[in-house]
Amino acid sequence: MSTFHATTIFAIRHKGQCAMAGDGQVTLGNQVVMKHTARKVRKIFNGKVLAGFAGSVADAFTLFEKFEGSLEEYNGNLARAAVEMAKEWRSDKVLRQLEAMLIVMDAQKLLLLSGTGEVIEPDDGILAIGSGGNYALAAGRALKQYAGEQMSAKEIAKSALEIAANICVFTNNNIIVEEL
C-alpha cells in the first residue's frame, strides 16, 4: 500500500530574521502527485513558533498536534518542548512508527526533530528536510554566503525552495513562506 508523502521544507535564521518555506506537493508513492497546494508550514503557539513537516502526511499531523501540546505544557519553551517530544516519540510504541520529521523555530532557536530521538540545532542557522531538502539546503547555504547581505531570510527561503523545485521531482513551485 502506497503512502502519502509531503516533501520539502527549508528554514533559516539570517540577519536577525526567521523564515520557513515549504512547497505544496503531496505524492502518493513515487509516481502520482495527489495535491499541489498543501500547507506544510504553519505558525503555532499564538504565532510565536514556526513548524514545518516532511514525510507521511497523517503522521506529520499527529506530530504537529503532539508538539503543540508539548509547547503548551512547557509554556512555549521550544527546546524543552522539543526534547520532551523527541523522548516520547522515540519511546512510545505507536509514535515510534510515525514516518515524518519536523523543523521548529522561534525567535531564538531553530531545531530539527526526528523519530530516532534527534533534536538538532544547526551551526549555520539553516535546516532543510524532505525529498528536496538537500537541494534546498545547498542552495540556501550558497545564497546566504554569496548574496546574504542583499537578501532577507524570507527571500533566501523562497529562492532555496524554488531552486529545489527545479531539480527535485517531489518538490513544486507552490511555495508558502512564513516569518517570525
Side-chain angles (χ1 to χ4, degrees):
M1 183 161 121
S2 294
T3 57
F4 290 97
H5 291 278
T7 54
T8 308
I9 303 296
F10 176 87
I12 184 169
R13 298 177 54 78
H14 176 63
K15 297 191 322 189
Q17 305 166 338
C18 302
M20 186 179 297
D23 75 310
Q25 186 164 302
V26 175
T27 60
L28 177 61
N30 290 324
Q31 299 175 350
V32 179
V33 175
M34 297 298 292
K35 186 170 178 76
H36 298 280
T37 59
R39 186 171 184 87
K40 302 178 229 171
V41 173
R42 295 201 165 91
K43 284 187 178 181
I44 58 176
F45 197 69
N46 299 317
K48 296 177 183 171
V49 173
L50 295 177
F53 71 85
S56 175
V57 177
D59 292 354
F61 283 123
T62 300
L63 294 172
F64 259 146
E65 289 175 15
K66 284 291 219 185
F67 185 71
E68 279 189 279
S70 191
L71 268 177
E72 293 291 334
E73 184 177 348
Y74 296 105
N75 298 314
N77 183 327
L78 190 79
R80 177 85 190 270
V83 168
E84 293 303 322
M85 185 180 139
K87 284 180 5 187
E88 183 180 0
W89 189 356
R90 184 172 184 202
S91 63
D92 184 274
K93 286 182 181 181
V94 174
L95 290 179
R96 199 171 38 226
Q97 303 304 313
L98 299 181
E99 296 181 13
M101 295 180 84
L102 295 175
I103 293 178
V104 296
M105 70 188 318
D106 64 11
Q108 288 79 39
K109 293 213 175 284
L110 170 61
L111 303 170
L112 169 81
L113 284 77
S114 79
T116 57
E118 304 292 338
V119 177
I120 299 169
E121 183 172 15
D123 292 331
D124 62 359
I126 299 175
L127 282 172
I129 56 175
S131 302
N134 288 334
Y135 306 117
L137 183 64
R141 284 183 173 159
L143 289 164
K144 184 175 180 178
Q145 182 174 347
Y146 295 107
E149 292 307 313
Q150 293 90 27
M151 296 180 79
S152 68
K154 181 179 182 177
E155 291 168 331
I156 291 174
K158 187 173 191 299
S159 295
L161 229 39
E162 288 170 341
I163 291 167
N166 288 329
I167 299 169
C168 178
V169 297
F170 296 106
T171 305
N172 72 16
N173 280 305
N174 286 327
I175 297 168
I176 304 263
V177 182
E178 292 284 355
E179 297 177 276
L180 290 179

